[in-house]
Amino acid sequence: MHDDQIAAMAPDAASLTAARKLALPKLWPNLGTHSRALWGECQGSGANPYRVQVDLETLAFRCSCPSRKLPCKHTLALMLLLANQADQVPVAELPDWVAEWLAQRARTAERRQVSAEAAPIAASAAPEPPPSRTPTAREQRVAAGMLELDRWLEDRVRTGLAGLQEGALGLFAPFASRMVDAQAPGVARRLREAALLPGSGVGWEGRLLDQLSLLHLLARAYAHLDDLPPDLQADVRTTIGFTQSQEELLAGQGIFDQWLVLGRRIEDEERLRVQRTWLWGMTEQRPALVLSFSVAEKPFDQSLVPGSFFAGELVFYPGSVPQRALVRTREELVPEPGPLPGWSINAAIGIYAAALAQQPWLERHLLIIGPCRLACAEDRWYLCDADDQTLPLSRTSTQIWQLLALTGGHPFTIVGEWDGGMLLPLSVQCEGGFFCL
């Protein structure tokens, strides 16, 4: 492969420019090639180097960095190294992590081949159009509700937001009940939460307008649901309140990894209690969110203990930014997990922004930031990273003194839920080990 061919693969000019700066052998302490693959490890902003691997036969690639660009700058840099400085890339045996990836790709290709051979092929027959589907009774009610929501939102904007400072609850609550009748509970919940914003302090007008805009986008998206990509369709339906059968989901393909249970949070949502348990896949370097629900004080599933470490397969719910998952198999591991990746605040917020661009109704996102330290200004606690960037911690967080005691003023890596404005700490990794808060 030549330099110009690699340049043509770059998703944008900035990625190619960054890749050329990284295409230096000294930045790749572990580098090698084989008749089938090219691989390397490049030190990034996290504690662990990014692992990059390229299948030279099919020109497929994978990198453990958080970038959503394909190929990322690390992949481009590795290929540029081989193209321009082949003598600096030693021929070697495949490391285990590359061999395992290639084997997995081979198994996937074999399954696809078997499926293709088993499928009946009608050579001369014209393809039949997909059968038309009659909307269910619920879908019809939701469609009518979304049309009504869009008109209601137009009225709110037309009459202005200033008058809502004192009468929001009386105006929003009846319409939220109307959304319950339309079988759109997710919309009803967002309306009730939006009704509390006029009393939330300076800048409430902008925050309220943001939420109303997202509801408007949701109503319009549902009106054109069939025109959206499948993952975005799933996002729209989930945000409105449609659910998916767990049995149907578990029949799909899962992801096997070594999972660290990062922490859990329990919150009350009217008559429902919700437990959020966050996990981190150590190999795939991705988060997973396991939700549990409780009604009438029934106990939650407590099998995923914060701080535990297990090997298992998770199945993710469909969506543009898959994070909610179900545990299909699990086997506890004795070895301690390795260090978590740590991103700077700017990099972590960049990952969140990329996720939000794909899924605009995303309410929470997992951030892992480090190394960082605690800072206090005007009775407010913040995270401060090595670049002196800051990120506000949740005002309701009760873990500040626990964090101070565990870290002793030394740098640490923190895991937390980010809601777009504040970080709610879940766990911390420091010199003393990994601790759930």
Side-chain angles (χ1 to χ4, degrees):
M1 181 174 294
H2 301 293
D3 190 288
D4 54 349
Q5 294 174 312
I6 299 171
M9 296 173 60
D12 51 44
S15 297
L16 182 60
T17 301
R20 294 194 187 282
K21 295 179 180 178
L22 291 173
L24 301 173
K26 65 179 181 180
L27 300 179
W28 297 80
N30 182 12
L31 186 65
T33 187
H34 186 272
S35 60
R36 174 70 190 276
L38 170 68
W39 65 89
E41 293 182 336
C42 181
Q43 186 63 49
S45 58
N48 296 326
Y50 297 134
R51 285 184 166 181
V52 189
Q53 45 207 329
V54 180
D55 185 336
L56 295 176
E57 291 186 1
T58 61
L59 209 58
F61 38 78
R62 185 169 75 171
C63 179
S64 62
C65 78
S67 174
R68 296 186 180 275
K69 295 181 180 181
L70 295 175
C72 68
K73 62 183 181 181
H74 306 101
T75 305
L76 293 169
L78 185 60
M79 292 190 290
L80 287 170
L81 261 175
L82 184 64
N84 300 322
Q85 303 180 62
D87 58 326
Q88 298 296 317
V89 184
V91 177
E93 292 297 321
L94 294 173
D96 292 342
W97 53 280
V98 178
E100 182 181 351
W101 178 63
L102 292 175
Q104 182 181 4
R105 288 184 50 78
R107 290 192 295 269
T108 301
E110 184 179 355
R111 285 196 298 267
R112 289 176 179 171
Q113 180 65 27
V114 171
S115 299
E117 293 174 353
I121 301 176
S124 59
E128 296 183 1
S132 58
R133 187 179 71 86
T134 302
T136 64
R138 180 184 180 182
E139 288 171 338
Q140 292 176 353
R141 282 193 289 270
V142 170
M146 292 301 98
L147 181 60
E148 191 174 350
L149 171 66
D150 207 20
R151 293 170 179 168
W152 185 85
L153 290 169
E154 289 178 357
D155 289 341
R156 302 287 71 74
V157 174
R158 179 174 51 82
T159 56
L161 302 181
L164 296 175
Q165 190 161 10
E166 295 181 358
L169 283 173
L171 184 63
F172 280 57
F175 196 76
S177 298
R178 169 69 190 95
M179 290 297 99
V180 173
D181 295 338
Q183 294 188 280
V187 176
R189 177 180 61 81
R190 285 174 177 258
L191 283 167
R192 294 190 190 98
E193 292 175 354
L196 302 176
L197 292 175
S200 61
V202 177
W204 68 266
E205 303 94 335
R207 293 191 292 274
L208 179 58
L209 186 60
D210 286 345
Q211 295 307 310
L212 297 185
S213 299
L214 288 173
L215 287 170
H216 171 71
L217 180 63
L218 184 65
R220 290 297 177 90
Y222 193 78
H224 301 278
L225 190 65
D226 293 339
D227 300 327
L228 302 178
D231 285 345
L232 193 53
Q233 289 186 29
D235 293 331
V236 172
R237 290 175 61 86
T238 299
T239 304
I240 288 174
F242 287 92
T243 58
Q244 182 176 356
S245 164
Q246 291 191 0
E247 291 76 13
E248 178 183 341
L249 186 70
L250 290 172
Q253 186 175 1
I255 294 180
F256 185 86
D257 206 335
Q258 295 181 351
W259 301 94
L260 173 62
V261 184
L262 299 172
R264 71 160 66 110
R265 285 290 175 268
I266 298 176
E267 291 183 354
D268 293 325
E269 292 184 2
E270 299 178 350
R271 294 182 296 274
L272 184 70
R273 302 184 74 213
V274 181
Q275 175 180 269
R276 301 189 304 273
T277 305
W278 288 95
L279 294 78
W280 183 258
M282 302 299 289
T283 302
E284 292 290 332
Q285 297 286 282
R286 64 176 295 170
L289 173 63
V290 178
L291 292 180
S292 299
F293 303 93
S294 171
V295 181
E297 299 299 326
K298 291 185 178 179
F300 286 109
D301 176 14
Q302 302 290 331
S303 59
L304 294 175
V305 179
S308 62
F309 189 43
F310 68 91
E313 186 178 18
L314 269 61
V315 183
F316 284 79
Y317 283 79
S320 303
V321 186
Q323 59 180 18
R324 186 184 173 189
L326 293 176
V327 179
R328 175 187 279 162
T329 63
R330 183 175 63 200
E331 180 181 348
E332 298 297 330
L333 293 176
V334 176
E336 292 292 326
L340 290 170
W343 286 275
S344 67
I345 289 176
N346 283 341
I349 294 300
I351 296 171
Y352 167 72
L356 197 64
Q358 298 181 70
Q359 214 287 54
W361 305 284
L362 190 66
E363 294 185 274
R364 297 177 183 85
H365 196 68
L366 189 79
L367 298 188
I368 305 180
I369 298 173
C372 60
R373 62 185 188 278
L374 289 173
C376 185
E378 298 180 354
D379 296 326
R380 184 72 188 272
W381 287 96
Y382 297 84
L383 290 179
C384 183
D385 65 8
D387 299 324
D388 288 330
Q389 299 296 311
T390 59
L391 197 72
L393 294 174
S394 171
R395 290 185 181 273
T396 59
S397 174
T398 59
Q399 296 90 11
I400 298 299
W401 303 114
Q402 189 178 3
L403 269 173
L404 287 169
L406 289 171
T407 60
H410 298 289
F412 57 88
T413 296
I414 193 168
V415 180
E417 285 184 342
W418 174 251
D419 64 1
M422 294 180 293
L423 186 77
L424 178 64
L426 291 170
S427 51
V428 62
Q429 192 169 55
C430 53
E431 291 182 356
F434 177 80
F435 304 95
C436 295
L437 304 172

